[in-house]
Amino acid sequence: MDSALVVERFGLGEDVRGWLAQAEALPGAGLSVPVGVEAERVWGLFALAEADRVEVAGLWPGEGDGGWPPELWYLVDLMCRRLWADRDLPVGEWRSWPSLVEVEDARVRMVSLVAFAAMVPEQFARHASLGIDESVTVATLADVGVQVARSRRLFGWLSVETAAWVAAQFRGRLYWVGGLQLEPARLGAPGSVPWYSEEEAAGWGPGMGVGDAVLRLHIPTGGLDPVSVDGALARARGFAREHLGMDPVVATCTSWLLDPYWGEVLGEGSNIVRFQRRFTLVGEGSSGEGDVFRFVFGMARVDVGAAPRRTRLDRAVVERLESGGGLRVCTGWLPLS
């Protein structure tokens, strides 16, 4: 089998061709795709929504070749190779993953789920070796269903548009701890989120320099309750020390939620505003309209005319853009204790 045949069979793009060619050079992973009852257990761990679970069950391969063509199985194999090779990916290094969201064949659109499912036993084993409580592993795996549901909301069909994000957890880059998701990283790593220059960072003191350990914070859907956030932040540094072999003194967050505009229009009682008040901002941020439409409206493209105006946040977004203003994705930091 050759990755070029996979690209030709399913009409994949040049970016995917290059990704598969790189994976093809990796050794085999020896992972097993779960089937039958074991597959159902994994779907439960992924916390797939009912509509997604039903469709996944209808497409999932069975015993033997499961009715799947060799090219599709080879695609699974290449994804498994990539996951296995990246299981010890150094902190601060990022690898891409194809989303395949526009592919016509629904099996191809969900093939990443099959590879991720094959890695689940390894995920439990590796977390256990780090002393991580199984409840954290289970919570982290449940983010898979969140991402699949978001893809359906955005595009209207089964897919994993954020497959690169999902792959991060199987590379030791995502842990759902309490009310936040924690990503071990390095401050100012190449191609990463904004940070101070080396001279500026030195002025902030130890642990704030370029290359120092950091936890990047990610907010689960509906996860801005102040008590829940407080609890997660209280656990974050200890979790990193005990389980990740790092001692970050600072956490960062890069999000549309940190745009100072929300403080002007939502009021101090808003959980969004309470959350952003925790952070010191770095730089001016970048254009954030696309992120806002994805996470607020569930729309893959910015379309002010089609945006609903049901909530105060909805109306604030629309009014801002109709007035000629913009929205930002901003980076902020806070100290960890």
Side-chain angles (χ1 to χ4, degrees):
M1 184 58 65
D2 184 284
S3 62
L5 296 176
V6 177
V7 172
E8 181 180 358
R9 170 71 185 265
F10 300 114
L12 307 181
E14 287 302 312
D15 56 335
V16 180
R17 182 191 297 273
W19 191 93
L20 294 178
Q22 290 182 355
E24 203 164 29
L26 299 171
L31 298 175
S32 298
V33 173
V35 296
V37 173
E38 184 57 25
E40 292 180 7
R41 187 183 78 86
V42 172
W43 304 336
L45 289 168
F46 285 171
L48 295 174
E50 183 61 22
D52 295 323
R53 184 165 181 153
V54 168
E55 188 167 356
V56 164
L59 296 169
W60 202 265
E63 299 285 353
D65 66 7
W68 280 21
E71 295 89 347
L72 193 52
W73 276 115
Y74 195 55
L75 181 54
V76 174
D77 176 58
L78 294 180
M79 288 183 169
C80 287
R81 292 189 200 188
R82 182 78 272 171
L83 284 175
W84 188 256
D86 292 348
R87 66 196 188 282
D88 291 317
L89 195 67
V91 172
E93 194 170 326
W94 175 259
R95 294 266 168 81
S96 64
W97 190 278
S99 72
L100 308 176
V101 68
E102 300 289 353
V103 178
E104 183 177 351
D105 192 321
R107 298 170 303 176
V108 177
R109 294 201 305 269
M110 63 149 252
V111 73
S112 294
L113 287 178
V114 178
F116 297 149
M119 275 292 288
V120 166
E122 176 68 10
Q123 181 83 321
F124 276 103
R126 294 185 71 77
H127 281 200
S129 72
L130 296 172
I132 295 172
D133 191 273
E134 188 173 289
S135 64
V136 172
T137 311
V138 171
T140 304
L141 287 168
D143 190 60
V144 178
V146 173
Q147 301 307 317
V148 174
R150 178 171 291 142
S151 291
R152 186 180 289 277
R153 184 183 179 203
L154 286 168
F155 299 98
W157 52 75
L158 178 69
S159 60
V160 197
E161 189 240 357
T162 50
W165 167 255
V166 175
Q169 70 162 277
F170 296 100
R171 293 163 166 164
R173 290 297 175 274
L174 183 68
Y175 303 89
W176 197 331
V177 179
L180 295 172
Q181 292 164 319
L182 311 179
E183 177 193 354
R186 299 287 175 189
L187 290 168
S192 68
V193 299
W195 191 242
Y196 301 106
S197 68
E198 292 191 16
E199 295 76 13
E200 291 173 316
W204 286 102
M208 297 284 286
V210 174
D212 285 337
V214 63
L215 285 178
R216 294 179 184 160
L217 307 178
H218 302 279
I219 306 96
T221 301
L224 283 180
D225 172 68
V227 174
S228 180
V229 172
D230 284 342
L233 291 175
R235 296 173 60 186
R237 189 174 183 182
F239 181 87
R241 285 171 173 164
E242 184 175 355
H243 305 299
L244 305 183
M246 58 191 298
D247 186 18
V249 303
V250 65
T252 64
C253 181
T254 299
S255 174
W256 64 272
L257 293 164
L258 298 190
D259 186 340
Y261 170 66
W262 309 124
E264 300 173 16
V265 296
L266 298 182
E268 296 300 321
S270 162
N271 281 347
I272 291 177
V273 176
R274 290 176 180 176
F275 182 75
Q276 65 176 223
R277 294 289 190 244
R278 299 171 185 267
F279 295 88
T280 298
L281 295 186
V282 180
E284 298 298 319
S286 58
S287 177
E289 290 83 2
D291 277 22
V292 170
F293 270 72
R294 289 174 61 87
F295 293 107
V296 175
F297 301 125
M299 297 170 61
R301 296 175 180 80
V302 176
D303 186 345
V304 178
R309 306 186 186 208
R310 297 164 297 198
T311 68
R312 182 169 54 166
L313 178 60
D314 292 350
R315 293 188 291 274
V317 171
V318 173
E319 289 167 7
R320 177 72 164 179
L321 298 181
E322 286 183 338
S323 69
L327 300 168
R328 312 292 288 173
V329 167
C330 297
T331 293
W333 64 268
L334 53 75
L336 293 171
S337 57

